[in-house]
Amino acid sequence: APKAIIAPSILSADFAQLGADCRRTMEQGADWLHVDIMDGHFVPNITFGAPVVAKIRKHVDRPTESHGRGTFDCHMMIAEPKKWVKEFKNAGCDLYCFHYEAAFSSNAESPEGKSDEKTNPKDLIRYIHSLGLLAGIALKPMTGVEVLTELLESEDEMERPDMVLIMTVEPGFGGQKFMASELPKVQELRKKYPELNIEVDGGLGPGTIDQAADAGANVIVAGSAVFGAKDPAAVISVLRSSVNS
Ligand code: DX5
Ligand code: ZN
């Protein structure tokens, strides 16, 4: 399996001192920063947009290699993911992870066979790659992994996602309870794709990491478990050693 990547979610940081919190989290051993963008439509909550990302980018060194330290992993919980790619690229996003469900926003109920040219995930991944960003695709708890088969097995690397995010809570808020019911999705993906970066997000911490790591996740998001800890560096190191063991 690919290497462990620990990506603290700054949703649980102090928004009044985001720059300092981001810098400190990196010093405490984070690999990436997970940046949750919520628009109040796709999810019932609002966070912040590209201008804030551009400001915090100045506090964290840019990655020197693809998937490297300091990667800004932008989790786009927004209804119109295509519309914001350029803006987030200019703000300093490195990995643009959109929701499969939103790529079909006009037809969220039955995406199969009804995608239109502008919003299908394949074209969106292509577009993200054409701008020089890594592309991720996220699945909410109700969405099965079979919707990704064609993308993951594409011969054309421009339309293959660089990462899949399996949500282990309903997106929208930090501090929710981990849903172990989502782990079979991780297992299935890991079995079929040994080298795929598989990210889990929601309710991860020292008490739940072993299940997620056993299922095959290697990119670990943790918000409240890191920012709420007395010793965040210790939590980051527990998460890392669980994935590596
Ligand atoms: C939830 C966000 C998560 C959130 C996780 O919609 O996508 O990234 O910050 O928070 P915890 O780790 O507290 O569950
Ligand atoms: Zn997230």
Side-chain angles (χ1 to χ4, degrees):
K3 66 169 182 165
I5 294 171
I6 309 304
S9 165
I10 61 170
L11 184 61
S12 292
D14 180 349
F15 280 13
Q17 43 179 352
L18 259 186
D21 273 17
C22 289
R23 190 199 306 255
R24 194 179 54 233
T25 304
M26 291 306 299
E27 288 164 5
Q28 288 163 342
D31 299 292
W32 294 1
L33 288 182
H34 183 83
V35 181
D36 285 308
I37 307 299
M38 305 186 188
D39 67 352
H41 292 277
F42 183 72
V43 288
N45 196 5
I46 297 175
T47 52
F48 50 78
V52 172
V53 175
K55 288 290 184 188
I56 58 179
R57 182 75 272 188
K58 299 184 201 303
H59 293 259
V60 177
D61 290 339
R62 298 299 300 257
T64 54
E65 50 177 358
S66 182
H67 300 87
R69 254 184 80 77
T71 290
F72 269 26
D73 165 28
C74 294
H75 178 193
M76 309 305 293
M77 287 165 275
I78 63 175
E80 294 186 87
K82 178 143 195 221
K83 191 169 165 183
W84 299 99
V85 184
K86 273 200 184 130
E87 196 126 355
F88 277 80
K89 184 212 157 64
N90 292 337
C93 159
D94 303 290
L95 190 162
Y96 191 92
C97 185
F98 65 91
H99 267 270
Y100 173 83
E101 300 85 359
F104 289 107
S105 53
S106 54
N107 196 8
E109 299 298 56
S110 64
E112 283 78 16
K114 293 195 184 166
S115 56
D116 71 61
E117 208 52 37
K118 271 191 301 201
T119 58
N120 83 49
K122 189 186 289 186
D123 290 342
L124 185 47
I125 291 171
R126 207 172 252 296
Y127 178 57
I128 294 166
H129 281 154
S130 76
L131 292 179
L133 299 174
L134 297 171
I137 185 159
L139 300 184
K140 296 211 286 184
M142 288 301 287
T143 310
V145 288
E146 64 284 349
V147 301
L148 302 178
T149 307
E150 195 190 326
L151 295 169
L152 289 170
E153 294 180 9
S154 168
E155 297 289 312
D156 184 348
E157 66 174 25
M158 280 299 279
E159 59 191 42
R160 237 170 18 232
D162 302 289
M163 185 183 81
V164 170
L165 165 50
I166 300 298
M167 290 302 301
T168 44
V169 297
E170 284 296 339
F173 301 91
Q176 302 183 77
K177 190 175 178 291
F178 178 72
M179 296 167 68
S181 58
E182 300 311 295
L183 292 179
K185 286 155 67 173
V186 175
Q187 264 163 357
E188 188 178 333
L189 288 174
R190 178 55 72 219
K191 211 165 131 195
K192 286 169 83 176
Y193 313 107
E195 295 308 317
L196 180 65
N197 281 305
I198 305 176
E199 181 174 59
V200 283
D201 180 12
L204 272 305
T208 50
I209 184 61
D210 286 344
Q211 302 168 62
D214 287 349
N218 71 298
V219 185
I220 310 300
V221 176
S224 47
V226 168
F227 284 92
K230 276 216 176 80
D231 186 353
V235 172
I236 289 170
S237 116
V238 166
L239 298 176
R240 187 188 309 288
S241 49
S242 175
V243 177
N244 284 336
S245 69

